[in-house]
Amino acid sequence: MADQNVPPRGPWEDRGWTPGQHPTPDGYRDVHPSASYPTQYQGPAGSGQPYGGYPAPPAPRGPQWVGPEGLGRQSFHQPAGTGLPRLDDDGEPGGRVGRRRALAIGGTAAVVAGGAALGMSSTVRGFFGGDDAVAGDATGTTVTDGTAARPSGQQASTVRTYTEQNESYMGSRAGAALKKNAPSGGRTFSGPAAAAAETPVTVKTVLAKDPVRHLASRATFGASPKTLADIRRMGIDGWVRWQLDPEKIAPSPAELKLAELPSLKLSPVQLREQRDQLNEKGVQPEREMVDATIARQIWSERQLFEVMVDFWNDFLHVAADFDGGEVYRNSFDRDVVRAHALGSYPDMLVAANKHPALLLYLSQNDSRKDAINENLARENLELYSVGVDGGYTEKDVRQAAMLQTGRGVQDGKYVFRADQHYLGKVKILGFSHANASADPKKADAVIDSYIRYIALHPSTAQYVARSLATRFVSDTPPKSLVDRLAKTYTVNKGMVKPLLMTLFSSSEFWAAVGQKVRRPMEYLIATYRTLNVRPEASRGFKADGGRPAFARGLRQIHDKLRELGQYPMGQPTPDGYPDVYVAWTSAGTMVNGWNEAADLLNGYRTEFTYTSADKLVAKPPATAGAYVDALAQRLVHQKLSAKEKALILGVAGVPAGAKVDATFNGAVTAVARAILASPQHHLR
């Protein structure tokens, strides 16, 4: 039975990503047009980089503890089909050289391996430019690329070379159990309030079937007394409309304090110019960006916006800590994700594909017409648009990679190098173009047209819809909801706000109470929110002339989240964090989170201000049982079951009728910590 607690293979093990690792002397990985462009087909095998150059994935997560039905243990086994063929074996004896790519053009193969372009006649060279350059044609039927494991003409999902992230975890006994308990079928109502009023909750759950609490748990980073009061005051429809217009929501005091993070508003060019001064001060821009994100998740009133920022940072993922993140990741967060989080996903994807962060993260800067890198082209299809089941083939990936040549980074900015752009007809998933113009603007516009095409593809509509429903509704979202969301996506050309209105107006959303478990970051952020931790330093803070208390406190939370295995933009690989609870079921992580809750209750982080545990309830009842009820209402916004209440009283060692003071006879911190360890706080 021991092997039943081993998670399935991560997607990084199936893909052999090959990030660029060629920094220039200034450390910023800008490749000058005249510099050589090393081919990045090296895979994991034989490279000394077990994960294709990315940091190793998190350690396997241990046995699960809590599910949507409350306390209990459900083991899961590694699903069938995870022993997938290696992708980097071309069949040559001893030839473990990674992703070899043979680009068949006019029946002549140009084999690109290890940085060398071989077998290129003058005719073939003409397809790639030069004095005798002519437009080529990458759409011919003769192909020499691909392997037996990945035939060029087959869909990736048919060969099952790849595994969709959430699906890889849900193909288990635990996943099957969740699916049985998930709501199925449903309809869309005239608005969120009408859907909430007309939808019965029939699933098994320990959470209260209170629509206000449910909305606060799903559309924010954790219900707080203020959030619940706001929803009740404005009404469900009014609160949703308010959240969908974040520009009109005033910044919170904590967001104003983000001015204490000096790198946050600097452009990539400014970060490059000021790198020495920032280094002398110990400023790490990529970490300050994560610090700021944590602050917004805890204290911003724009909660739905921040939830969607986190969603897109997993969907269109660029790791904070990649080589170059210190310069470019902050701008990607501000100018790509946040600029479009509630706007247009096609606009977001187009902007991302012209941003230095993505171009460097997925090695597009290393790709030219005679040494093509396919990383970004592949992830644009598999992760950022149609998905692994979206119908693309290996040939589509090759042609997309050829089309996207020419895009790169120079002097900290996006640049299109027309002399490195492949010219010739391409056809990718139904998108076809002559791609014959040497005009840089026209050639660049063709790539934009392709990116927008895949962003609006029907498979992308399904993929975005399923991912959104997984985030907001259930680890096994009902097909009825996914289909309606996909239709909304298509009709509204990828606009996000109509998607969210369809979601919140659907009965499946309101029927899915308790069907999501908080991931480690969500658990800790929700704990800060429900405890009403404030961003001002406490009286016990001792300034030493160093960083401000607020900045120090944020970095401490950031470091704790790293310990827990999840922090904003922290996944090293391009697939983002999994969004299903069986991927996060580690007993050690949960205990670590509970200990952090105890530290908050004790006010140990003096960089912030806390409400002491004995003052969480304004007028504490005089008996232990009533006090537990009041604390539960304050911390998890509902009563506990009789069994759970008895367990909590056991922590304090008193019966329900015992007389207690405001400190619970000295046990209030332990009692509050136990409530925050309950399923009612782990579920959302």
Side-chain angles (χ1 to χ4, degrees):
M1 298 295 290
D3 65 343
Q4 292 187 353
N5 286 327
V6 178
R9 287 162 55 88
W12 55 82
E13 299 177 71
D14 296 335
R15 211 179 259 116
W17 285 306
T18 54
Q21 296 290 331
H22 304 281
T24 51
D26 72 353
Y28 287 98
R29 302 180 67 240
D30 285 355
V31 181
H32 191 273
S34 63
S36 63
Y37 291 74
T39 303
Q40 291 295 297
Y41 290 141
Q42 299 92 320
S47 67
Q49 296 177 340
Y51 297 98
Y54 289 96
R61 302 165 177 116
Q64 60 197 36
W65 175 82
V66 60
E69 296 182 37
L71 290 168
R73 187 183 297 272
Q74 295 173 318
S75 64
F76 65 98
H77 68 284
Q78 189 168 357
T82 56
L84 299 170
R86 300 192 67 85
L87 308 187
D88 52 3
D89 188 354
D90 277 340
E92 293 184 14
R96 305 294 294 280
V97 295
R99 290 186 171 192
R100 295 192 176 188
R101 297 295 174 254
L103 304 178
I105 303 176
T108 303
V111 181
V112 182
L118 307 178
M120 291 181 65
S121 66
S122 59
T123 302
V124 175
R125 281 195 297 271
F127 291 123
F128 293 120
D131 295 337
D132 56 346
V134 295
D137 184 351
T139 65
T141 57
T142 302
V143 293
T144 59
D145 56 341
T147 67
R150 294 192 307 177
S152 180
Q154 288 195 32
Q155 296 182 22
S157 59
T158 302
V159 185
R160 296 318 292 174
T161 297
Y162 305 107
T163 306
E164 199 278 327
Q165 168 110 300
N166 291 332
E167 176 191 325
S168 71
Y169 287 103
M170 295 310 293
S172 61
R173 291 182 206 158
L178 286 177
K179 191 169 185 177
K180 289 180 180 179
N181 194 43
S184 60
R187 52 168 290 200
T188 300
F189 289 83
S190 59
E198 297 295 327
T199 302
V201 178
T202 59
V203 296
K204 297 178 181 178
T205 179
V206 297
L207 292 191
K209 298 174 182 180
D210 173 7
V212 170
R213 186 192 188 284
H214 178 61
L215 179 61
S217 296
R218 297 291 175 88
T220 79
F221 275 98
S224 67
K226 183 181 185 305
T227 301
L228 295 170
D230 285 343
I231 298 173
R232 291 193 170 98
R233 184 184 75 255
M234 298 180 189
I236 288 173
D237 285 348
W239 187 85
V240 170
R241 285 195 300 270
W242 180 58
Q243 288 291 306
L244 287 175
D245 200 2
E247 296 83 3
K248 296 182 180 179
I249 301 176
S252 65
E255 289 175 290
L256 296 176
K257 289 174 71 66
L258 291 177
E260 298 176 9
L261 305 182
S263 70
L264 206 58
K265 292 186 177 181
L266 298 181
S267 69
V269 172
Q270 290 172 317
L271 288 170
R272 287 164 55 92
E273 292 172 346
Q274 300 178 30
R275 59 176 178 169
D276 291 338
Q277 301 95 305
L278 294 172
N279 285 337
E280 289 175 4
K281 297 177 182 178
V283 174
Q284 298 170 289
E286 75 282 14
R287 292 207 169 199
E288 286 200 338
M289 173 198 63
V290 174
D291 297 342
T293 300
I294 292 167
R296 290 165 174 143
Q297 289 175 352
I298 297 173
W299 289 295
S300 177
E301 295 285 351
R302 306 177 181 108
Q303 279 290 295
L304 181 56
F305 175 76
E306 292 301 324
V307 168
M308 289 306 298
V309 166
D310 186 61
F311 170 81
W312 291 121
N313 270 322
D314 274 340
F315 190 92
L316 182 55
H317 181 63
V318 174
D321 294 330
F322 84 97
D323 180 15
E326 70 282 1
V327 174
Y328 301 106
R329 190 55 181 84
N330 191 357
S331 170
F332 188 84
D333 181 67
R334 179 180 62 240
D335 302 327
V336 176
V337 177
R338 291 181 176 275
H340 302 287
L342 289 178
S344 161
Y345 180 62
D347 288 350
M348 184 189 297
L349 189 59
V350 168
N353 271 268
K354 286 186 171 181
H355 196 281
L358 188 64
L359 298 176
L360 293 176
Y361 181 53
L362 290 178
S363 310
Q364 188 62 33
N365 196 49
D366 299 328
S367 185
R368 63 176 186 175
K369 61 187 178 182
D370 58 350
I372 296 173
N373 186 298
E374 69 170 31
N375 284 0
L376 179 57
R378 180 175 299 281
E379 309 310 359
N380 269 334
L381 289 166
E382 180 178 341
L383 296 177
Y384 306 150
S385 64
V386 301
V388 68
D389 296 308
Y392 71 90
T393 68
E394 289 295 305
K395 185 177 179 180
D396 290 319
V397 173
R398 310 301 198 281
Q399 295 192 42
M402 295 170 76
L403 175 64
Q404 291 176 228
T405 51
R407 292 192 160 185
V409 182
Q410 186 174 329
D411 299 327
K413 298 179 181 179
Y414 169 73
V415 63
F416 183 78
R417 303 181 179 108
D419 61 326
Q420 300 300 337
H421 174 64
Y422 164 79
L423 292 179
K425 183 179 179 181
V426 294
K427 185 175 182 180
I428 311 153
L429 268 179
F431 174 87
S432 61
H433 200 282
N435 185 37
S437 176
D439 183 304
K441 291 185 178 180
K442 291 182 179 179
D444 199 24
V446 174
I447 306 175
D448 282 349
S449 298
Y450 160 68
I451 298 298
R452 196 169 293 279
Y453 171 83
I454 60 173
L456 291 172
H457 193 277
S459 293
T460 303
Q462 281 282 325
Y463 189 34
V464 171
R466 185 168 62 254
S467 300
L468 195 69
T470 300
R471 173 62 61 95
F472 281 92
V473 177
S474 166
D475 290 0
T476 56
K479 184 178 183 301
S480 57
L481 175 62
V482 173
D483 288 345
R484 291 202 307 280
L485 289 173
K487 182 178 180 180
T488 298
Y489 183 96
T490 299
V491 169
N492 292 279
K493 300 187 183 304
M495 296 300 294
V496 178
K497 289 182 182 180
L499 265 179
L500 290 172
M501 281 302 296
T502 297
L503 175 76
F504 294 134
S505 300
S506 296
S507 59
E508 293 94 336
F509 172 80
W510 298 98
V513 174
Q515 297 301 293
K516 291 295 295 184
V517 180
R518 285 180 172 134
R519 298 176 292 179
M521 180 182 77
E522 295 163 351
Y523 173 85
L524 193 61
I525 298 300
T527 302
Y528 272 81
R529 285 177 57 77
T530 198
L531 288 175
N532 194 32
V533 177
R534 297 180 295 285
E536 298 77 25
S538 68
R539 294 180 180 178
F541 176 74
K542 296 180 180 179
D544 59 5
R547 300 182 75 205
F550 184 58
R552 289 190 188 186
L554 291 176
R555 184 59 52 84
Q556 289 175 7
I557 303 174
H558 179 167
D559 290 342
K560 173 57 67 173
L561 290 175
R562 284 177 179 261
E563 284 183 34
L564 295 176
Q566 187 196 14
Y567 59 95
M569 296 152 278
Q571 178 83 335
T573 47
D575 48 353
Y577 287 117
D579 200 9
V580 292
Y581 98 98
V582 295
W584 297 98
T585 51
S586 166
T589 295
M590 272 192 264
V591 171
N592 199 347
W594 300 342
N595 290 339
E596 179 69 7
D599 288 348
L600 300 185
L601 287 163
N602 285 308
Y604 288 161
R605 296 197 186 283
T606 58
E607 294 80 6
F608 303 124
T609 299
Y610 306 82
T611 301
S612 61
D614 61 339
K615 291 183 171 59
L616 287 169
V617 176
K619 296 180 180 179
T623 61
Y627 200 164
V628 168
D629 287 339
L631 267 176
Q633 193 66 47
R634 169 64 183 79
L635 296 176
V636 296
H637 321 295
Q638 67 173 83
K639 289 184 177 181
L640 304 178
S641 69
K643 180 180 178 180
E644 290 159 344
K645 182 176 176 180
L647 290 171
I648 299 294
L649 288 169
V651 170
V654 297
K659 295 289 186 180
V660 292
D661 59 15
T663 71
F664 217 104
N665 297 348
V668 66
T669 298
V671 169
R673 176 183 181 270
I675 292 173
L676 291 174
S678 70
Q680 283 80 353
H681 190 55
H682 275 281
L683 297 173
R684 66 173 176 89

